[in-house]
Amino acid sequence: MGKIARKYKFIIICLTTLIFISAGSASAQDTVIFSRKDIFHPVIANNGMVSSQERYASQAGLAVLKEGGNAVDAAVTIGFTLAVTLPRAGNLGGGGFMLLHLAKDNQTIAIDYREKAPLAATRDMFLDNNGEVDPEKSRYSYLSVGVPGTVAGLTMALEKYGTISLERALQPAIELAEKGFPVSEDLFRSLRDVKKRMQSYEASMAIFYKPGGVLYQVGEILVQNDLARSLKLIAKHGAKAFYEGAIASAIVADMEANGGLITKEDLATYKPVIREPIRGTYRGYEIYSMPPPSSGGIHLVQMLNTLEAFPIRKLGHNTAQTIHLMAESMKLAYADRSKFLGDPDFVPVPVAELTSKTYAERIRQRINPYRATPSSEIAPGNPTQRVESNDTTHYSVMDKYGNAVANTYTLNFSYGSKITVPGTGILLNNEMDDFSAKPGVPNAYGLTGAEFNAIAPEKRMLSSMTPTIVLKDGKSYLVTGSPGGSRIITTVLQLIMNVIDHQLNIATATNAIRVHHQWLPDQLFVEQDLNGDTIQLLKYKGYKISVRNAMGSTQSIMYINNSFEGASDPRKPGALTLGY
C-alpha cells in the first residue's frame, strides 16, 4: 500500500471513530456479547431446582425438594446449611432478606430479617474525639455487631410457609457441623485471607484453625462441634433457643465481657417483619424485589423504569452506548439512594415516587445521550415533586408447585466481625458499619449516606441486598440475586436485562461481562475482558474507567419451555445449581 493510500485509510478510520463517538454508537468490534472463551449452558430439570454458592447446601436443598418439600422448605434448609459450610457469609449471627412467591395464593411477600441496632446504640457511637469516623470501631469491634435476625427469619418462613419440621430442615447442617466436611479451595483461601484479623478472637481461632494457628489444608475435615450443639438447640426449641435460651445467654455474656451493646432485651424483642415487596414492570414482565430497609428493590425498579424507553436490544449487548445509558441510570439512582433510603419504620421513604414511571421520565431528561455527566454535577433528585458486603451470599429455589424463593443474607464482611461467641460456634456480623456513622462519609463499600440512615436504637441499617423474582403472565419466570456490596443492585439489573432485553440463556446471561457505577466515586467499574474498543469509546464519552476482576456472584433459575433452567456464577468457586 502506498503512502497516499495509507494516509487516506488513516483519515477514514479517524472520521469513522468520530462519527461513532458523536452518534454514541459502537464499532462493529464493540458489538460482541462477551469475550469469554467458553460457551456456558444452563442446568436443566423438570421438577425443581436450587442454586446456591456452596455444593453441600445445594445438595441439602435438592434432597428436600425430592422428598416433596416446597421451595420454602428447601430455602430454609439451604440457609442453615450454609451457616456451616460457607461460614464467611452463610450465618446464624447475621441477617438478610427473603422474597417468596406463593403460587397457590398468587402472592409475593418479603420477609425482612435484617439486623437491628441495639437499644444502647447512639448516633455518634463510632466517632473519635475529633468527630471523625473510627473504622476499627464500626467494623472490627463488639460495637460493630447488630442484633442478629437470621434464625428468627428462617424459622418464621418455615413455620408460616413451609411444610417440613424444623428438625428436618436442620438435619444436614447438624450432620455437617458434627461430622465435618472437607475444606474446599475457596474455604482454605478465605480463612488464609482473614487469619490476621481472626487472631484477635480465641474462639474463632479454635474453630477455624488448627493448634498454633495452622491452616486446614484443602481436603482436610473441618468439624464444628460447638455450632452443632447450637443447631441442635434450635432444632429442639426453635428460635427461642437463640433469642431467649442458652445461646442468648452466651451472646450477652460475651458482649458484657468485651464492651458490646447487645442485651437480653435486645435479643428477646427482636422480630422479623413481613413487608410488601417492591413491584415494577419492565417490557411486560412483573419485577418483585426487596423493599426498604433494602435499597435494592427501589433502585432496581427505578433503573429499569429509566432504561425501558431506550431501545436496549437494538443498541446491543455491552456496547458503549448501552453501557453509557446503564451507567447514567446507575449514577442517578445511587445519588437518590444517598438521601432518601433508610429504615421505613423510622423515616418516610418515598417508595411510590422513586419507583414511578413519571419519575423515570424526569430522570431520562437528565441523561445526555452522548456524554457522561460528571458525578459532581449530579445531586439527588426530587421524587416527591408532583407532575433511596462483598461476602454476602444469595440462593434461589423454584419448585414443581410454582413457588419461588430468592434469599440473600450476610455477615457483612467476610466472616463478619470475625468474632465467634465462645461455646456456640456462631460468628457475629459487623453490620453496624452499614449505617451512616457520619452523614456524607462513605462506608466500607464507598457508599455515602445521610440522615435517613443515621444510627438509632432498634433501627435497621440500610442494605443493597436485592433478592428478586420476575413473573411472566403471573407465574414465576426468573429468580435471582447476588452478593457484592454496593454492586449487588447493578449486578441484578444486568442479569435481568441480559435475559429480557438480549434474550440470552441463563448461563450466558450469568457469565456476561458486568459494569458498575455508584455515583461516588465518579468511576465506571468494568470487568476484565470488556472489549478494548468499547472501553476507548466510553473514555471518549467522558468516563473514568476502573478495571476489576469480577463483580457479584448470581445464583439464578428460570422456568421456561415447561422446564427449569439454572446457572451458578463462575466468578466464585464452589457454587452449584442442581435440579431433578
Side-chain angles (χ1 to χ4, degrees):
M1 182 182 296
K3 291 183 179 179
I4 294 177
R6 285 197 297 270
K7 178 179 179 181
Y8 280 112
K9 181 180 180 183
F10 174 76
I11 292 172
I12 291 169
I13 291 172
C14 291
L15 287 172
T16 303
T17 301
L18 287 171
I19 290 169
F20 280 131
I21 294 168
S22 63
S25 300
S27 69
Q29 291 174 314
D30 181 47
T31 60
V32 295
I33 292 177
F34 61 94
S35 59
R36 267 57 164 176
K37 294 180 180 179
D38 299 319
I39 300 298
F40 284 79
H41 299 285
V43 176
I44 299 175
N46 295 319
N47 297 302
M49 185 168 284
V50 301
S51 182
S52 89
Q53 188 58 56
E54 200 282 321
R55 69 184 185 96
Y56 288 109
S58 291
Q59 290 167 354
L62 186 69
V64 168
L65 291 183
K66 286 183 174 181
E67 292 170 9
N70 66 18
V72 177
D73 298 326
V76 172
T77 301
I78 291 170
F80 280 117
T81 304
L82 286 170
V84 180
T85 60
L86 192 73
R88 59 181 166 81
N91 67 85
L92 302 183
F97 302 112
M98 181 180 286
L99 195 69
L100 306 88
H101 179 72
L102 306 172
K104 184 178 179 181
D105 301 321
N106 192 26
Q107 183 182 18
T108 305
I109 63 168
I111 299 178
D112 169 7
Y113 60 97
R114 180 70 160 155
E115 302 91 333
K116 279 188 171 184
L119 285 162
T122 60
R123 177 189 175 95
D124 299 329
M125 60 187 286
F126 295 130
L127 303 186
D128 61 21
N129 293 332
N130 297 318
E132 300 301 324
V133 178
D134 182 350
E136 288 296 314
K137 284 185 180 179
S138 67
R139 301 172 190 176
Y140 302 111
S141 75
Y142 277 80
L143 294 175
S144 73
V145 184
V147 181
T150 294
V151 174
L154 294 182
T155 54
M156 171 193 270
L158 189 67
E159 180 179 340
K160 285 184 171 291
Y161 309 109
T163 67
I164 64 173
S165 68
L166 184 58
E167 290 84 357
R168 172 63 187 91
L170 282 158
Q171 177 189 331
I174 292 170
E175 290 181 0
L176 287 161
E178 198 166 45
K179 298 178 181 178
F181 62 95
V183 171
S184 65
E185 180 71 27
D186 178 58
L187 181 55
F188 166 78
R189 290 182 179 180
S190 67
L191 287 170
R192 179 192 62 193
D193 293 344
V194 300
K195 182 181 174 182
K196 185 176 180 180
R197 281 285 182 186
M198 202 86 91
Q199 285 174 335
S200 300
Y201 305 106
E202 184 177 341
S204 298
M205 293 299 295
I207 294 168
F208 297 110
Y209 303 87
K210 292 186 283 189
V214 177
L215 282 163
Y216 282 93
Q217 298 301 304
V218 176
E220 292 187 315
I221 303 300
L222 176 64
V223 174
Q224 300 171 75
N225 286 318
D226 287 348
L227 183 55
R229 284 191 290 271
S230 293
L231 290 165
K232 287 179 180 178
L233 286 172
I234 295 169
K236 184 176 182 180
H237 302 292
K240 283 189 175 182
F242 188 95
Y243 293 95
E244 299 178 35
I247 298 172
S249 298
I251 293 172
V252 172
D254 198 33
M255 287 284 154
E256 291 176 345
N258 293 281
L261 300 182
I262 296 176
T263 64
K264 288 184 178 179
E265 184 179 0
D266 285 314
L267 291 167
T269 57
Y270 180 89
K271 294 290 185 294
V273 180
I274 296 178
R275 301 190 187 276
E276 190 75 21
I278 298 297
R279 180 189 178 276
T281 60
Y282 186 66
R283 307 198 192 283
Y285 295 82
E286 291 180 83
I287 312 295
Y288 286 91
S289 195
M290 202 65 205
S294 172
S295 61
I298 284 180
H299 295 307
L300 173 65
V301 169
Q302 180 181 346
M303 289 186 288
L304 288 171
N305 285 345
T306 303
L307 292 163
E308 190 171 32
F310 296 109
I312 298 297
R313 186 180 180 192
K314 183 177 178 181
L315 291 172
H317 182 272
N318 274 352
T319 62
Q321 186 63 7
T322 295
I323 291 173
H324 166 60
L325 295 172
M326 290 194 300
E328 294 301 287
S329 70
M330 291 172 186
K331 282 191 276 188
L332 292 161
Y334 277 75
D336 282 352
R337 183 189 190 277
S338 72
K339 180 178 180 179
F340 299 113
L341 269 291
D343 185 343
D345 296 336
F346 284 74
V347 295
V349 181
V351 175
E353 292 86 351
L354 286 168
T355 58
S356 73
K357 302 284 188 181
T358 301
Y359 184 49
E361 289 176 8
R362 296 205 302 275
I363 290 175
R364 281 194 294 273
Q365 293 173 8
R366 300 169 64 187
I367 295 177
N368 183 326
Y370 310 122
R371 297 285 300 173
T373 303
S375 292
S376 59
E377 298 178 11
I378 294 176
N382 183 13
T384 57
Q385 174 186 334
R386 293 298 185 261
V387 267
E388 173 250 282
S389 146
N390 285 327
D391 278 290
T392 299
T393 191
H394 175 86
Y395 54 89
S396 299
V397 185
M398 294 181 78
D399 65 27
K400 61 185 178 182
Y401 312 111
N403 303 308
V405 175
N407 189 88
T408 312
Y409 71 158
T410 187
L411 290 165
N412 197 23
F413 288 7
S414 182
Y415 298 90
S417 62
K418 317 299 184 289
I419 298 168
T420 298
V421 179
T424 69
I426 296 172
L427 281 157
L428 297 176
N429 68 83
N430 60 345
E431 291 290 358
M432 292 294 288
D433 184 64
D434 274 0
F435 281 117
S436 296
K438 182 179 180 181
V441 177
N443 70 1
Y445 299 102
L447 289 171
T448 302
E451 297 295 331
F452 273 23
N453 193 38
I455 302 170
E458 293 198 283
K459 190 176 184 180
R460 287 176 162 91
M461 58 290 293
L462 187 60
S463 170
S464 294
M465 290 184 279
T466 316
T468 299
I469 297 173
V470 178
L471 303 186
K472 181 180 181 182
D473 300 325
K475 298 180 180 179
S476 299
Y477 175 69
L478 170 65
V479 186
T480 191
S482 177
S486 60
R487 298 181 178 93
I488 292 175
I489 310 172
T490 55
T491 295
V492 174
L493 170 75
Q494 289 166 91
L495 192 286
I496 291 172
M497 292 177 69
N498 288 346
V499 170
I500 294 177
D501 286 300
H502 305 295
Q503 299 182 359
L504 305 181
N505 73 49
I506 193 61
T508 306
T510 297
N511 191 56
I513 292 167
R514 294 174 186 147
V515 302
H516 171 77
H517 206 303
Q518 62 184 52
W519 179 48
L520 296 175
D522 192 359
Q523 293 181 356
L524 177 60
F525 298 94
V526 303
E527 288 187 324
Q528 289 181 343
D529 297 335
L530 183 63
N531 185 277
D533 290 346
T534 303
I535 290 175
Q536 197 60 40
L537 286 168
L538 289 166
K539 287 180 178 179
Y540 285 138
K541 289 178 182 292
Y543 288 101
K544 300 172 185 175
I545 305 295
S546 179
V547 179
R548 290 290 185 266
N549 288 332
M551 298 184 204
S553 179
T554 56
Q555 309 298 323
S556 308
I557 303 171
M558 293 179 66
Y559 188 72
I560 185 170
N561 299 325
N562 297 317
S563 64
F564 298 96
E565 296 186 5
S568 288
D569 205 314
R571 288 167 177 81
K572 287 191 177 182
L576 183 64
T577 295
L578 292 172
Y580 80 107

